[in-house]
Amino acid sequence: EFGCYSSDTATITQSSNVDLGVDTTSFCEGSNVVLNANMAGSYLWSDGSTNQILNVTSSGTYSITVTEANCISSDSTVVEEILNTAASFTSSVNGNTVTFTSSSQNADTYSWDFGDGNTSTLQNPVHTYSPSGSIWAYTVTLTTANECGDDEAENEVSNAPNGISNISVFNSIEMYPNPTHGTFTLSVSVEEALELNVLVEDVRG
């Protein structure tokens, strides 16, 4: 009944583990992403830096180890750089039908304007024109996009034959006066005998 007794109190704290958030994060080309340890302690990142915050400007896997008192925790995340899209394409003409082949880079979506009022969202579309004349030409525009922006490429497609500058047998060809509203002279100089067919059309085809 008259014995001695004593008591004591202990405070126990539990350190939280470091958490960089999502396992994978991304940023657009020319930009950056900031990784934050979001806790007190001493820091050691996989690139050797010792700040709480790491500014990342290139793709890779980044990890951190945080020491708080006697507790050590670590976490890692994958950072991906999304490159800007670059639109480009080639075309192949067969009669009035044109096959378009995209050579674009880093594109998620494709938007084609064939120049005649028709469009497509296919990567490599095939389009048939309905021209009013036998010789035709249209300006085609391809717009590519990803989550970081878009880009545009523009080319002309035509069923006109190769220019005379591409035919080696011609030394020169001249037409004068040009433009003309009446009589004109066509002068052709060739390196060898050949049969020459000349088609003359006005501006309306």
Side-chain angles (χ1 to χ4, degrees):
E1 178 178 359
F2 301 104
C4 297
Y5 68 91
S6 63
S7 64
D8 194 11
T9 300
T11 301
I12 300 174
T13 61
Q14 181 180 11
S15 297
S16 59
N17 292 328
V18 60
D19 185 3
L20 295 177
V22 295
D23 293 333
T24 302
T25 187
S26 60
F27 66 97
C28 296
E29 181 180 353
S31 182
N32 67 287
V33 65
V34 175
L35 303 179
N36 193 334
N38 286 313
M39 65 179 296
S42 59
Y43 315 97
L44 179 61
W45 292 90
S46 51
D47 69 345
S49 61
T50 56
N51 297 321
Q52 178 179 334
I53 293 175
L54 183 67
N55 186 39
V56 176
T57 58
S58 60
S59 298
T61 300
Y62 295 84
S63 60
I64 186 174
T65 298
V66 178
T67 302
E68 182 187 10
N70 294 321
C71 298
I72 300 175
S73 63
S74 61
D75 194 20
S76 64
T77 187
V78 175
V79 177
E80 297 178 347
E81 180 182 18
I82 301 175
L83 300 178
N84 295 332
T85 183
S88 62
F89 66 93
T90 59
S91 59
S92 175
V93 180
N94 183 12
N96 290 341
T97 299
V98 184
T99 299
F100 296 96
T101 303
S102 171
S103 51
S104 306
Q105 301 295 316
N106 313 311
D108 293 334
T109 62
Y110 304 83
S111 178
W112 296 85
D113 182 339
F114 297 121
D116 63 349
N118 292 290
T119 61
S120 175
T121 56
L122 296 177
Q123 181 176 352
N124 301 305
V126 177
H127 181 63
T128 299
Y129 288 94
S130 300
S132 57
S134 58
I135 302 297
W136 52 262
Y138 296 91
T139 299
V140 178
T141 304
L142 169 63
T143 302
T144 59
N146 61 23
E147 60 186 280
C148 289
D150 55 39
D151 190 39
E152 185 178 285
E154 186 177 274
N155 291 325
E156 182 180 272
V157 293
S158 171
N159 70 340
N162 290 334
I164 58 174
S165 60
N166 296 327
I167 304 176
S168 61
V169 296
F170 285 100
N171 284 332
S172 66
I173 183 168
E174 296 178 290
M175 188 190 81
Y176 54 89
N178 183 18
T180 178
H181 296 287
T183 303
F184 63 90
T185 299
L186 184 66
S187 172
V188 181
S189 175
V190 296
E191 300 173 353
E192 60 188 63
L194 77 163
E195 180 180 343
L196 179 62
N197 295 316
V198 177
L199 173 65
V200 178
E201 294 187 344
D202 64 16
V203 293
R204 295 169 296 180

